[in-house]
Amino acid sequence: MGFTPGPSDPFWEIMQPPPNETPAQMTARQKRERDDQRESDRIDEQIKQDRAALKKEKNIVKLLLLGQSESGKSTTLKNFRMRYAQSDWEKERNGWRAVVQLNVVRTIMTIRRVVEAELNGDAPADSEDDQPMVNSGGEDDVMKFTDRHQLLMIRLAPLLGVEAELKRRLGAGSEEVQPSSTPLSATPFDEPEEMEAYRRRVPEFSVRSWKEVLLPEAGSSSSTLDLDSCTDTIAGCKDDMKALWEDKAVKVALKRRKLQLPDSAGFFLNDLDRIATRDYTVTDDDIVRARLRTVGIQEHRLIFKQGPWDTPRYSLAGKESGWEWRIFDVGGCRTLRSAWLPYFDNVNVIIFLSPVSVFDQRLEEDSRVNRLEDSILLWTSICSTRLLSKTQLILFLNKCDLLRRKLKRGVKVNQFLPSYGDRPNEVIPVVKYLREKFKDIQKQCSPEARSVYIYPTTVTDTAATGITLESVRDGVLRENLAASQLI
């Protein structure tokens, strides 16, 4: 029932129509009042919607995966989805076959180019005095390149077409990083002119999920035929690929030329009997190790139901609701880091990945920059910015397995990191040293006091990573429950 003010109400007088109001003036006044009422109702409805959205946002966790290229961000996202979004994970499984096949073929083609260089007598670019291992004769034939290697080159030539077809299907994410001739900023907060020039040369490639890349032509018979043809060619080249990968002369040439193969190369090429077949089925381990470069923004949503430490929350409809995590994986190449900035707004959590095995490596996009130094600079900038001063920080010191292998080969950390001093050249001391370094940077650079949670990880180890993600999930949800005053 509406309220009608009386003569005693202070608003009564001003609500009266003007004296001597003409019919036309009354019609205009009533129209204005109706328009004003509609605008008032619109504003009330917007306020109502904003309040409902704000209430809903309390159950949303926005999480960014940050770190340099090849640090393990996408692999961490795969672990999240494999564990907490199994239905979508299974739907995409078959699409990863093309990615694994491209990983295999690209590595074989890289090795093939090395053999061709040796056969042509080309010396390594950084060691012109070295002589390539060509011709045969004597007891060292096994370490020489011969006509047998030339025949292998011919027999593997069909894989060039397979590589081109798989790259066409998978888009820009299948392209390799192109080195820059000019310095690039380590942080997303500085944008030299050369970064803008780079983006003008290289078209942006942005996807909301892997589905758009893995299943771009779902239902297309021609697409299926193309993939079947690629699979047949790969299966037909299986024995020749194995011969190339296992050849001793090839192994020596790769070492001499200091060729850095992808981390997953051995995993796939040592298992060609399973992968290079017409009935190949992709496993979880294959997907975790398959490399599809992130050059845009991956966005995935996960729903977590309440845990034993949680209290029930209810939606406006009265139904019990869970926590929605919006996870963003962004390209880590220096040329793409300025694209991170829009995603820093209202972010709750950052998982920063720093590979601990890269102390002796350099960036693909800028060979003048040590990868560990780049990771430290990037971490410092993330910790320092006031824009992220209230964001929960989680650090994954990743690729501990590769660090162990590298140290077993005798690589000395202190030769590349003098501050490491005479500490033991072993995994645990190295990880402990880096942990303290990153922790000190966060403590000294953060605009506000906060904690950082640090985990040594090997994100290709899905079992161990699953335990880590459980810990991360519980810790993040506890902090967000406290922040939203639900406990």
Side-chain angles (χ1 to χ4, degrees):
M1 182 176 179
F3 171 72
T4 302
S8 62
D9 190 285
F11 292 102
W12 183 80
E13 184 174 346
I14 65 173
M15 293 179 68
Q16 299 306 303
N20 304 318
E21 183 180 49
T22 66
Q25 290 172 334
M26 181 180 69
T27 300
R29 174 178 58 80
Q30 290 175 341
K31 181 179 184 303
R32 287 196 303 271
E33 290 175 352
R34 288 193 298 270
D35 291 343
D36 290 343
Q37 185 60 49
R38 279 195 295 269
E39 179 63 15
S40 177
D41 292 343
R42 187 193 67 78
I43 293 172
D44 289 343
E45 179 62 25
Q46 185 62 51
I47 291 173
K48 181 180 178 181
Q49 291 178 5
D50 290 345
R51 285 175 176 169
L54 183 61
K55 185 173 182 180
K56 184 179 179 181
E57 287 288 328
K58 289 184 178 180
N59 286 0
I60 293 177
V61 174
K62 183 178 177 182
L63 184 151
L64 299 186
L65 295 166
L66 300 183
Q68 62 186 210
S69 182
E70 301 281 356
S71 60
K73 300 184 300 299
S74 296
T75 308
T76 300
L77 175 58
K78 292 174 188 176
N79 275 276
F80 267 116
R81 299 186 65 248
M82 180 172 57
R83 192 171 186 84
Y84 300 115
Q86 293 181 354
S87 177
D88 288 341
W89 180 259
E90 288 300 326
K91 289 178 183 177
E92 296 175 17
R93 180 179 298 279
N94 288 338
W96 283 100
R97 183 178 70 163
V99 183
V100 173
Q101 290 175 333
L102 178 60
N103 284 200
V104 169
V105 171
R106 170 171 282 161
T107 302
I108 290 295
M109 291 296 97
T110 299
I111 298 172
R112 184 177 182 270
R113 285 192 290 273
V114 169
V115 176
E116 286 182 333
E118 293 286 340
L119 289 168
N120 292 334
D122 299 334
D126 61 346
S127 182
E128 295 183 359
D129 292 333
D130 290 346
Q131 293 300 316
M133 299 175 296
V134 189
N135 301 324
S136 60
E139 300 179 77
D140 294 332
D141 278 358
V142 71
M143 305 306 292
K144 302 290 185 180
F145 285 92
T146 66
D147 291 343
R148 181 175 63 86
H149 294 95
Q150 185 66 60
L151 181 60
L152 269 180
M153 297 302 96
I154 296 171
R155 293 172 63 88
L156 290 171
L159 293 180
L160 290 168
V162 171
E163 182 182 26
E165 172 57 30
L166 293 174
K167 287 171 67 175
R168 182 198 66 79
R169 177 182 175 84
L170 296 172
S174 65
E175 298 294 338
E176 297 176 335
V177 173
Q178 297 301 316
S180 170
S181 59
T182 55
L184 299 170
S185 173
T187 81
F189 307 105
D190 304 316
E191 187 170 345
E193 293 181 2
E194 57 267 21
M195 293 179 71
E196 180 59 34
Y198 180 92
R199 281 200 297 277
R200 285 197 295 268
R201 295 196 306 272
V202 181
E204 180 65 10
F205 179 78
S206 179
V207 294
R208 290 183 60 83
S209 74
W210 277 306
K211 290 181 182 178
E212 298 176 32
V213 181
L214 302 177
L215 305 171
E217 302 171 88
S220 168
S221 58
S222 62
S223 175
T224 301
L225 289 173
D226 289 340
L227 283 179
D228 287 346
S229 176
C230 290
T231 300
D232 288 342
T233 303
I234 291 170
C237 291
K238 179 183 69 175
D239 291 339
D240 294 319
M241 289 192 290
K242 287 177 63 177
L244 184 71
W245 175 241
E246 295 169 359
D247 189 275
K248 292 183 179 180
V250 171
K251 291 181 184 295
V252 171
L254 294 177
K255 184 176 181 180
R256 288 174 64 249
R257 291 175 179 266
K258 300 177 182 178
L259 184 67
Q260 186 73 36
L261 293 175
D263 297 338
S264 60
F267 176 83
F268 289 131
L269 295 185
N270 288 334
D271 210 1
L272 284 172
D273 284 330
R274 175 179 64 87
I275 295 173
T277 60
R278 291 173 176 81
D279 58 353
Y280 165 56
T281 300
V282 186
T283 68
D284 286 346
D285 283 342
D286 292 342
I287 298 175
V288 166
R289 287 170 173 80
R291 175 64 178 156
L292 184 64
R293 191 166 66 93
T294 306
V295 289
I297 306 297
Q298 289 274 336
E299 177 186 354
H300 286 276
R301 300 189 180 194
L302 305 177
I303 300 296
F304 291 106
K305 296 181 180 179
Q306 64 186 54
W309 34 261
D310 201 348
T311 55
R313 294 170 306 284
Y314 294 88
S315 66
L316 295 177
K319 296 182 180 180
E320 187 175 329
S321 62
W323 283 90
E324 178 184 325
W325 282 32
R326 297 176 183 174
I327 304 180
F328 298 86
D329 172 22
V330 296
C333 182
R334 279 193 171 193
T335 54
L336 300 171
R337 290 178 191 174
S338 61
W340 298 2
L341 284 172
Y343 295 87
F344 288 164
D345 187 35
N346 296 322
V347 62
N348 304 103
V349 186
I350 287 175
I351 296 181
F352 186 93
L353 289 101
S354 178
V356 294
S357 62
V358 297
F359 57 87
D360 61 340
Q361 295 173 230
R362 296 186 176 274
L363 294 177
E364 284 187 77
E365 65 269 32
D366 191 340
S367 61
R368 293 160 293 208
V369 180
N370 177 275
R371 284 192 63 185
L372 180 59
E373 179 185 2
D374 173 72
S375 193
I376 290 173
L377 289 172
L378 186 53
W379 172 252
T380 302
S381 73
I382 296 299
C383 293
S384 301
T385 177
R386 290 192 174 277
L387 185 62
L388 301 171
S389 61
K390 297 186 181 300
T391 301
Q392 183 178 350
L393 296 179
I394 298 171
L395 173 64
F396 282 9
L397 295 176
N398 194 36
K399 301 197 177 183
C400 291
D401 59 330
L402 300 184
L403 174 65
R404 179 175 290 104
R405 270 186 246 163
K406 188 167 288 188
L407 298 183
K408 280 187 175 180
R409 293 201 305 267
V411 180
K412 300 296 182 182
V413 175
N414 58 12
Q415 291 182 0
F416 301 90
L417 191 63
S419 60
Y420 188 70
D422 58 358
R423 294 174 177 84
N425 201 62
E426 299 170 0
V427 173
I428 293 178
V430 172
V431 172
K432 182 179 178 181
Y433 173 80
L434 293 175
R435 176 191 180 98
E436 293 305 314
K437 284 293 183 184
F438 279 90
K439 189 174 181 180
D440 287 345
I441 289 171
Q442 183 274 326
K443 186 175 180 180
Q444 295 171 15
C445 296
S446 287
E448 300 181 17
R450 57 179 163 178
S451 299
V452 59
Y453 302 88
I454 304 177
Y455 299 88
T457 58
T458 297
V459 294
T460 53
D461 182 342
T462 56
T465 302
I467 297 172
T468 299
L469 295 188
E470 289 283 350
S471 177
V472 167
R473 183 199 66 170
D474 291 354
V476 167
L477 292 182
R478 281 197 187 94
E479 288 215 7
N480 280 274
L481 277 169
S484 61
Q485 299 181 344
L486 292 176
I487 58 173

